[in-house]
Amino acid sequence: MSAYILDWLNLLFRWLHVITAIAWIGSSFYFIWLDNSLEEPSPENKKKGFGGQLSSVHAGGFYEIGKYKLAPPVMPDNLHWFKWEAYSTWLTGFFLFALMFYVGAESYLIDPNKSQLSPPLAIAMSLFILIGGWFIYDGLCKSPLAKQTWLLALFLISLIGALSWGLEQIISDRAAYLHIGALIGTCMAGNVFRIIMPGQRAMVKAIEAGKQPDVKYASASKLRSVHNNYLTLPVIFIMISNHYPMTYTHPHSWAVLIAIIMIGAFARHFFNLRHKGITKPSILISATVALAVLAWVIAPTQKPLQTSAAIEVTNEQVLSIIKQRCSSCHATQNTDSMFTAAQAGVILENMDQIRQWAPRIEARSVLSNDMPFMNRTNMTDQEREYLGVWLQSQK
Ligand code: HEC
């Protein structure tokens, strides 16, 4: 398939994925807020079987909402389910994921500097992680461990840590992060598809048969929706993580990821409490401080020069390094087979352009090894060092 068509498909699915994810997480935020904000029902509403009520105004409309203690005595004709937001987010996400990492396996998934996996093997492994990961997660949630919410959370986070460490050893840094994101997204959508929806269907069925619905469905759904709730902020970070090489190219990128997942979940806790009328700014403040500490801990250090004598790097040397190592993907006429247009709009063909992009070249090729992309052009450490010396001399 031509790179041009692939780019359009990528655009289309990324666009749809962002739209559907906004709809899913938006409605999820809304219902969590609603549930946590319910007030004691009026005597009249109590008679109707309501356990909570809430009044709101939005866009010039006034709304009265009542929540049944368990379910209405008779099912209304038209019941809204809120499931397609989740399903379409997963479907568009999976297409985008497959387009990037399966169709583009040789560019985005396999890092020849780490392992020599063949594309079919790498893709099989990737699918196995997504499917197997869901079954392990689902099994743990149904095991006795699930009774200890904190123990389960700790165990799950350790598993994610171990998996991302393992992935970091064998596939590209970017793909390792996105695999954790895709797995978390799969578990979140799986919770809706396999647990929450079947539970709701069983409850509706019971009511239609004139029976009292079993509370076990409500409590199973509860655990899964708590997980989904706390995973929203972390999973959004992973969606945008590929823009931030200081995270995924770090030598311990798996630990950076775990730290950000925990900070994100902790920040979400602030909002959950706040909806219940408990405002604890200390949570948001400590999450922000933790993020700042993380930024400080992983800050790139200027590597000491390998060459003993102070070296001077000329403009000609810099231009020749950049031409040799970067211009296959950053030129008016790219020569790379996969990246056929100037990537990210960055063209590096003369000294003016190199100076224009100097801070980004430093971030991506000197302070991190993120560019050249997966080092497809075999840039050497010495060349990075020369580039660093030259960039310093320009400051
Ligand atoms: C094999 C292809 C390839 C090569 C070679 C390559 N890049 Fe890139 N570059 C990309 C891709 C893909 C992107 C867009 C994705 C991204 O931003 O991570 C990109 C984006 C960039 C950006 C823009 C993003 C930003 O941080 O603002 C800069 C700067 C950059 N590359 C610098 C370089 C430098 C310097 C070299 C050579 C040392 C280089 N690239 C070599 C593929 C390549």
Side-chain angles (χ1 to χ4, degrees):
M1 223 184 302
S2 91
Y4 182 68
I5 295 175
L6 281 177
D7 270 353
W8 271 102
L9 287 175
N10 186 306
L11 184 154
L12 182 67
F13 282 108
R14 196 176 296 266
W15 196 3
L16 288 172
H17 185 54
V18 171
I19 295 167
T20 50
I22 289 174
W24 182 15
I25 295 187
S27 62
S28 153
F29 279 3
Y30 172 73
F31 278 103
I32 289 160
W33 168 82
L34 180 66
D35 223 40
N36 286 337
S37 310
L38 290 173
E39 293 156 12
E40 190 57 23
S42 64
E44 231 169 278
N45 277 343
K46 260 191 189 149
K47 262 190 229 131
K48 283 194 208 162
F50 286 175
Q53 66 176 38
L54 181 132
S55 314
S56 60
V57 56
H58 181 73
F62 291 82
Y63 300 81
E64 270 301 316
I65 294 156
K67 184 186 175 189
Y68 286 97
K69 269 199 185 118
L70 191 56
V74 185
M75 269 302 139
D77 293 337
N78 202 356
L79 193 61
H80 298 278
W81 284 77
F82 297 94
K83 58 181 177 186
W84 277 103
E85 292 85 349
Y87 299 166
S88 50
T89 303
W90 187 85
L91 287 170
T92 51
F94 184 74
F95 267 104
L96 182 61
F97 188 82
L99 214 54
M100 291 275 298
F101 297 114
Y102 301 165
V103 179
E106 281 172 316
S107 307
Y108 288 103
L109 178 60
I110 300 161
D111 184 343
N113 306 307
K114 295 187 186 179
S115 71
Q116 301 288 338
L117 294 175
S118 67
L121 186 65
I123 294 168
M125 188 193 79
S126 160
L127 285 169
F128 181 76
I129 288 169
L130 295 188
I131 300 166
W134 157 256
F135 281 107
I136 292 174
Y137 164 73
D138 188 45
L140 285 170
C141 288
K142 288 173 177 160
S143 76
L145 189 65
K147 292 207 173 64
Q148 312 279 327
T149 321
W150 277 106
L151 214 58
L152 176 66
L154 206 71
F155 195 67
L156 288 173
I157 200 94
S158 323
L159 282 185
I160 295 179
L163 177 63
S164 59
W165 178 84
L167 288 172
E168 192 188 318
Q169 314 304 313
I170 43 176
I171 57 174
S172 87
D173 296 336
R174 291 165 183 248
Y177 266 39
L178 262 295
H179 272 69
I180 299 296
L183 176 56
I184 293 178
T186 300
C187 290
M188 290 170 74
N191 282 339
V192 176
F193 184 59
R194 300 284 304 145
I195 306 295
I196 299 172
M197 285 301 144
Q200 287 178 184
R201 262 179 230 118
M203 289 169 83
V204 168
K205 226 177 177 176
I207 292 160
E208 281 172 349
K211 286 188 229 143
Q212 183 76 354
D214 194 334
V215 283
K216 82 170 184 216
Y217 295 116
S219 54
S221 298
K222 181 80 194 151
L223 176 72
R224 306 303 179 104
S225 55
V226 166
H227 288 172
N228 281 10
N229 175 4
Y230 281 98
L231 288 170
T232 46
L233 303 192
V235 86
I236 295 174
F237 160 73
I238 305 179
M239 284 166 75
I240 58 171
S241 66
N242 275 203
H243 294 286
Y244 304 100
M246 72 277 198
T247 58
Y248 63 79
T249 62
H250 189 271
H252 302 296
S253 60
W254 66 275
V256 176
L257 180 59
I258 292 300
I260 297 180
I261 289 177
M262 297 215 282
I263 293 169
F266 190 50
R268 184 78 191 110
H269 192 53
F270 167 82
F271 294 97
N272 290 338
L273 288 181
R274 202 182 122 101
H275 300 332
K276 293 184 183 159
I278 308 166
T279 305
K280 278 200 177 170
S282 58
I283 297 182
L284 267 197
I285 295 168
S286 27
T288 313
V289 170
L291 207 57
V293 169
L294 177 72
W296 177 73
V297 171
I298 66 169
T301 42
Q302 200 79 48
K303 289 174 208 114
L305 292 183
Q306 297 298 315
T307 25
S308 48
I311 45 166
E312 205 165 307
V313 180
T314 64
N315 286 352
E316 288 68 40
Q317 278 170 302
V318 167
L319 190 60
S320 123
I321 294 173
I322 296 277
K323 280 217 160 133
Q324 197 181 348
R325 307 300 183 196
C326 316
S327 54
S328 56
C329 298
H330 293 288
T332 29
Q333 291 288 324
N334 276 8
T335 49
D336 192 279
S337 57
M338 185 78 195
F339 301 98
T340 50
Q343 290 302 303
V346 177
I347 297 178
L348 301 172
E349 288 178 325
N350 58 45
M351 285 320 284
D352 284 343
Q353 290 161 340
I354 294 172
R355 282 201 188 90
Q356 181 197 342
W357 284 101
R360 299 306 305 155
I361 296 176
E362 180 171 38
R364 306 197 66 165
S365 302
V366 180
L367 298 177
S368 77
N369 292 355
D370 191 47
M371 286 288 148
F373 192 87
M374 274 189 229
N375 208 6
R376 265 161 85 97
T377 47
N378 305 316
M379 189 171 193
T380 65
D381 286 345
Q382 195 192 35
E383 286 166 341
R384 291 187 198 278
E385 199 178 312
Y386 276 31
L387 218 48
V389 170
W390 180 80
L391 286 161
Q392 280 299 326
S393 74
Q394 301 293 304
K395 282 180 186 166

